[in-house]
Amino acid sequence: MNKMTVKSALFALMTSAVLLAPTVSAENGANQGQGYHEMRGEHRGHHGDMRKMLRGLDLTEQQRTEIKSLMKAHKSERAAQRPSAEVRQAHQQQMLDMISSDSFSEADVVNMMDARQEKRQQAAVERVKMQRAIYQLLTPEQQAKFKANFAQRGSRKGDRS
């Protein structure tokens, strides 16, 4: 092989490597080796967060049973409050109608968003009630450890305001 062919081949190889490196990097970093459920982040549910807060508290069997019962009751209450598929489809259609309508009514959009926010707020209140009920089941030593776990959790998540 002559010297020019080798240089051309090396140049082509280097150019393709430089051009393909970001693509390979993006594909590898997309989920960083995690499964689908771990990638969901904050949307994985609040029971998972509560379970993490209870780790290391040396719960008695009775406490575990009562906590599971509280969590199960909360979950079934939330499931009962969840809108049906028909209601969700109607909301989706309503949103599409607002977007594609010839006229725009800001008041209608605000009313729809206010209703959604009210439901989210009520769900948050119910979640805190459940968490308080669980906290009340703990001994004073466990409550102190729970508070420490809570403080540590906040510092790990950073300031997200």
Side-chain angles (χ1 to χ4, degrees):
M1 262 194 198
N2 74 25
K3 202 174 195 181
M4 201 60 165
T5 309
V6 172
K7 283 184 180 181
S8 296
L10 282 174
F11 180 72
L13 181 65
M14 293 300 289
T15 304
S16 63
V18 168
L19 292 175
L20 292 177
T23 306
V24 171
S25 175
E27 288 175 3
N28 288 340
N31 66 6
Q32 297 176 356
Q34 297 176 343
Y36 169 75
H37 295 288
E38 293 146 42
M39 292 186 328
R40 291 182 1 187
E42 293 296 317
H43 302 285
R44 73 180 166 274
H46 299 283
H47 292 312
D49 289 341
M50 193 65 187
R51 286 187 183 108
K52 287 180 184 176
M53 297 303 297
L54 296 172
R55 267 191 213 148
L57 296 184
D58 298 323
L59 299 171
T60 65
E61 197 57 42
Q62 181 182 0
Q63 286 174 318
R64 286 182 186 175
T65 304
E66 291 180 32
I67 289 170
K68 282 182 183 179
S69 171
L70 284 170
M71 291 176 118
K72 191 174 185 178
H74 176 73
K75 185 176 180 179
S76 62
E77 287 171 14
R78 292 290 302 142
Q81 294 173 354
R82 224 171 264 129
S84 67
E86 294 82 21
V87 170
R88 287 193 311 268
Q89 189 174 9
H91 284 161
Q92 187 176 13
Q93 184 61 46
Q94 184 181 10
M95 185 63 88
L96 178 62
D97 292 344
M98 283 189 245
I99 293 169
S100 61
S101 168
D102 291 337
S103 62
F104 178 74
S105 172
E106 188 171 333
D108 289 345
V109 175
V110 168
N111 288 338
M112 185 177 191
M113 294 303 125
D114 284 347
R116 282 185 177 182
Q117 183 59 30
E118 189 175 317
K119 288 178 183 177
R120 285 187 183 130
Q121 188 174 20
Q122 185 58 38
V125 168
E126 293 302 318
R127 186 172 50 256
V128 171
K129 282 182 183 179
M130 185 253 328
Q131 291 171 343
R132 177 164 166 61
I134 290 172
Y135 180 80
Q136 296 302 315
L137 294 174
L138 303 177
T139 65
E141 296 82 17
Q142 290 170 329
Q143 289 177 350
K145 176 75 172 167
F146 180 89
K147 287 179 182 179
N149 288 351
F150 193 86
Q152 184 181 20
R153 174 183 158 255
S155 66
R156 273 196 318 258
K157 286 193 172 190
D159 186 21
R160 294 187 179 183
S161 54

